[in-house]
Amino acid sequence: MNQRPSDLRATLVARHPFEQCFTDLGNHSADAALTALTHAIHAAQRDMNAYDWITQALPGATLKPALAIGTVGELYRSYTRPAEFGRLKEVWRA
């Protein structure tokens, strides 16, 4: 029993912040979903219904209901605004 206590602790895997927008990502990664969303924004699909977009871009993924009834632009803003605020708070602390 020469194991240190730190060896016995479970490690927590940090979740991607974009995962908070989804009920289920299906078999897609959060990075792949964010890449698809960024591509949709650059392809001028901001006004497309988020549910319609997610079924085409990431089959099997499920958005949270409040985000599914919005647009792709609203989904993008719901991710980027908290992320920008978090970065801003880190700058204030420095």
Side-chain angles (χ1 to χ4, degrees):
M1 298 294 276
N2 289 341
Q3 292 181 342
R4 297 184 315 239
S6 62
D7 293 341
L8 300 176
R9 290 188 199 141
T11 57
L12 296 176
V13 177
R15 290 183 54 179
H16 194 284
F18 193 50
E19 289 183 35
Q20 297 174 3
C21 297
F22 292 87
T23 303
D24 182 23
L25 273 168
N27 57 357
H28 305 283
S29 70
D31 289 328
L34 188 56
T35 301
L37 179 62
T38 304
H39 178 69
I41 293 296
H42 290 297
Q45 295 177 334
R46 288 180 183 266
D47 295 329
M48 185 176 187
N49 181 285
Y51 176 78
D52 293 338
W53 171 78
I54 201 74
T55 55
Q56 293 172 9
L58 302 168
T62 308
L63 284 169
K64 288 187 176 177
L67 297 171
I69 61 172
T71 64
V72 172
E74 290 168 346
L75 175 62
Y76 185 75
R77 284 190 304 272
S78 71
Y79 167 70
T80 57
R81 284 189 178 159
E84 287 297 322
F85 183 66
R87 285 192 286 270
L88 181 62
K89 286 189 334 188
E90 290 298 319
V91 169
W92 284 344
R93 290 182 188 157

